[in-house]
Amino acid sequence: MGLAAYNIEADSKEQFRYMIHDEVDKWVDQIIDEVFEDDRHPTVMELSELFAKTKQKFFGACFQALIEQKYAGLLEQEYAPCPKCAKMCKKRRGNLKEMVTMQGPSVLKRPWFYCVDCSYGFSPLDKVLEISRKKHQFDIQKKATKTTAEVPFSCSSELFADLTGHPLSDHFMHDTFERVGAHASLEDVTPSKDEIAKRCREATGDSWRPVLVVAADGAHVPTRAKAKRNEKRGAGRWQEAKGFRIYLLSQDRIIHLASWHQIQNEEQFGKDLAVVASRIPQHQVRIGLLGDGAEWLWKHMTYCFPKGRQVLDYYHCVEHIHKVATVQYGEKSQQALEWVESTVSRLFFAEVSSVIGGLRRMKPKDSESEEEIRKLIVYLDNNRDRIHYQGDRIGGYPIGSGEIESANKFICHTRLKRSGAWWVKETGNEMLRIRCAVYNGTYDKVFERYKNANLPHD
Ligand SMILES: [Zn+2]
């Protein structure tokens, strides 16, 4: 660094210091006025609220001063080359950029250029600072979107304002959410091959190969078609969100790997599962496939994980048994409980044929009971090779996704069902993708992708 450059830098630092001192003085004046009046005895809560109220303006001004000193050169720029044709353009009239960050509001008076040949406006400072075209900057957009993924749209802006002191409009929350969601792809939402390999190694013991569990399921989500302009909203219908969760069972804990859910058809589900399967070091783990009776799901799971041990979800299976007990013996009757217990324990020891035989000999109470018994026989027969719970237990395989389900129960579906709203399919899928990203620990990457696609143009 030359001496001249060094002096400018040192100068900037000193100037910044003076500017901040100035802002501190302004802030202290405000506090003094409010707090040191003779008859006032503010409480902790009142003082905290006073800080919350005044700090945004203070920090916003500091923020602005910092940019003005750090990027003084760019702020004084008179000429800049057009990014498209390289023609030198002269600065236009000072252009104000109002922006809000998590620190508060700032206004930047920065040069702005316009190339007549290309009909193209640009600001080099915006590019260097990665300033969002939106007034609320990327740091706010990132947190706002995460908030929206957790709570219904109708209360997310209020909650955000409550916790951060930044009022955001419902429109901003919704719009930003959709834009980020549009950039959330399966490739980014799923952890990378390296990350997955790392977690597999962590779960591996000296003489223990971890079990990698693939649990797939479908759940119905209320959807409606997107209404066209001037048109009443479309009729609602339930569509299936299909998804899977992949996790590792190490000796003492569950390590989550990836979760992915979308309102989509079975074919697309298969393609998505294949993408994730290709990132997994399948030879380094033992694989357990968990599902209920749905055939589409087994078709894709066994295709993607040919060496996987198929396990019919125990809890799901028990539900079916309960159903028959209830219609045949009456809800919670002694007889029903006894029958369920003995049936379940025979299934635990893989005595499927004996259970089916017993069902065939049963005398149905009525036609409903007859139908439920018939369905259960078909169900058990179709899944016969997937019922071996005792062996699963001994091998360390899961017998149901219940253990992870409690923390994870329809991670994705909860938010979609809670609001009671009917979802436009696209928005519902954006919600699912972002929630999965948050859960998979890949939200930073997803947001980065969105940010890079929305930077000021080169
Ligand atoms: Zn140009």
Side-chain angles (χ1 to χ4, degrees):
M1 201 186 290
L3 190 60
Y6 178 80
N7 282 338
I8 290 170
E9 176 121 306
D11 240 33
S12 295
K13 284 182 195 164
E14 279 315 298
Q15 284 217 27
F16 173 61
R17 193 184 302 279
Y18 286 128
M19 288 166 88
I20 297 295
H21 285 167
D22 218 37
E23 293 303 328
V24 173
D25 281 340
K26 283 189 214 161
W27 179 71
V28 170
D29 285 343
Q30 263 183 299
I31 299 295
I32 288 175
D33 285 351
E34 296 264 349
V35 175
F36 289 94
E37 291 283 316
D38 292 341
D39 53 344
R40 292 214 184 146
H41 303 281
T43 61
V44 163
M45 196 166 153
E46 285 162 349
L47 286 174
S48 171
E49 275 161 12
L50 177 62
F51 271 51
K53 201 174 75 187
T54 53
K55 78 176 170 195
Q56 297 230 345
K57 208 171 146 202
F58 170 58
F59 273 123
C62 294
F63 203 77
Q64 189 174 325
L66 187 60
I67 292 173
E68 283 170 9
Q69 289 311 312
K70 175 69 190 167
Y71 294 103
L74 282 171
L75 286 165
E76 282 152 21
Q77 207 172 7
E78 289 290 324
Y79 290 90
C82 166
K84 288 187 186 272
C85 72
K87 184 179 119 171
M88 269 300 175
C89 306
K90 188 167 169 19
K91 181 177 93 171
R92 298 279 165 146
R93 278 228 188 116
N95 193 299
L96 290 183
K97 172 68 187 177
E98 276 183 65
M99 57 180 204
V100 182
T101 67
M102 288 301 292
Q103 309 317 321
S106 319
V107 181
L108 282 184
K109 187 164 184 258
R110 87 295 200 221
W112 191 76
F113 302 86
Y114 188 80
C115 175
V116 195
D117 294 356
C118 303
S119 309
Y120 182 70
F122 61 96
S123 157
L125 184 81
D126 289 15
K127 195 188 164 209
V128 171
L129 280 171
E130 301 192 340
I131 292 177
S132 169
R133 273 181 291 267
K134 291 190 183 226
K135 181 167 144 191
H136 291 90
Q137 294 301 300
F138 290 121
D139 61 338
I140 291 187
Q141 294 174 34
K142 187 173 181 182
K143 291 185 197 305
T145 299
K146 206 168 172 179
T147 307
T148 310
E150 293 299 334
V151 299
F153 288 114
S154 56
C155 67
S156 63
S157 56
E158 199 184 322
L159 181 69
F160 195 84
D162 257 4
L163 293 177
T164 66
H166 291 288
L168 298 175
S169 70
D170 287 354
H171 172 76
F172 173 85
M173 298 296 271
H174 208 286
D175 181 64
T176 308
F177 179 84
E178 291 205 338
R179 285 167 195 269
V180 178
H183 281 88
S185 64
L186 172 66
E187 281 67 23
D188 288 340
V189 169
T190 307
S192 68
K193 204 168 182 166
D194 289 348
E195 180 59 36
I196 289 176
K198 190 177 135 225
R199 290 186 210 175
C200 288
R201 278 197 303 277
E202 282 168 10
T204 306
D206 292 337
S207 59
W208 166 273
R209 247 186 338 146
V211 174
L212 179 129
V213 184
V214 183
D217 64 52
H220 285 88
V221 174
T223 66
R224 63 177 169 82
K226 196 169 196 163
K228 295 200 186 79
R229 229 178 253 260
N230 305 323
E231 198 182 78
K232 273 186 26 182
R233 46 168 55 184
R237 72 188 173 107
W238 290 80
Q239 290 192 75
E240 194 174 41
K242 298 182 176 67
F244 50 85
R245 295 176 307 288
I246 301 182
Y247 53 93
L248 289 161
L249 293 179
S250 81
Q251 266 167 309
D252 51 0
R253 63 201 169 113
I254 290 171
I255 301 168
H256 178 74
L257 285 183
S259 188
W260 178 252
H261 297 256
Q262 288 284 274
I263 301 165
Q264 63 185 8
N265 61 30
E266 183 226 299
E267 191 191 351
Q268 191 58 47
F269 167 87
K271 284 183 184 162
D272 290 356
L273 185 61
V275 169
V276 179
S278 74
R279 293 189 182 181
I280 292 171
Q282 296 198 24
H283 54 284
Q284 287 172 19
V285 289
R286 296 179 291 150
I287 296 171
L289 307 176
L290 263 182
D292 59 22
E295 271 316 307
W296 60 266
L297 177 158
W298 290 109
K299 183 175 93 188
H300 296 293
M301 284 204 294
T302 50
Y303 178 78
C304 295
F305 299 94
K307 285 194 294 185
R309 178 180 171 102
Q310 299 176 40
V311 182
L312 182 69
D313 190 291
Y314 175 78
Y315 304 100
H316 207 266
C317 180
V318 170
E319 261 176 49
H320 286 258
I321 311 277
H322 268 286
K323 185 82 201 269
V324 166
T326 303
V327 293
Q328 176 73 6
Y329 299 115
E331 198 172 355
K332 288 183 182 157
S333 68
Q334 187 61 28
Q335 221 182 344
L337 291 176
E338 280 167 14
W339 183 77
V340 167
E341 207 176 287
S342 86
T343 306
V344 168
S345 82
R346 274 183 293 161
L347 288 180
F348 187 80
F349 295 108
E351 294 166 14
V352 185
S353 297
S354 119
V355 169
I356 291 178
L359 284 165
R360 290 216 169 97
R361 286 191 300 276
M362 234 175 190
K363 294 192 172 40
K365 193 183 88 183
D366 50 25
S367 60
E368 190 195 0
S369 175
E370 188 175 358
E371 174 61 10
E372 288 302 331
I373 292 170
R374 188 194 62 78
K375 285 197 313 208
L376 182 58
I377 292 173
V378 172
Y379 175 77
L380 292 175
D381 197 35
N382 285 342
N383 292 289
R384 151 191 305 277
D385 295 339
R386 299 174 183 134
I387 299 173
H388 30 54
Y389 302 118
Q390 188 193 29
D392 300 325
R393 275 279 187 245
I394 293 167
Y397 287 88
I399 61 170
S401 48
E403 49 234 67
I404 194 169
E405 213 82 348
S406 49
N408 190 17
K409 178 132 197 169
F410 298 137
I411 158 195
C412 294
H413 312 141
T414 321
R415 167 73 174 87
L416 267 72
K417 284 180 176 173
R418 187 170 50 193
S419 66
W422 290 79
W423 291 81
V424 170
K425 182 180 161 189
E426 288 74 17
T427 314
N429 275 341
E430 281 155 5
M431 178 60 71
L432 290 167
R433 291 198 292 266
I434 290 184
R435 285 181 64 79
C436 287
V438 171
Y439 200 76
N440 292 348
T442 53
Y443 177 65
D444 286 354
K445 198 167 156 194
V446 165
F447 189 83
E448 195 68 13
R449 180 81 63 185
Y450 154 79
K451 193 194 80 184
N452 289 337
N454 285 278
L455 289 175
H457 289 295
D458 289 305

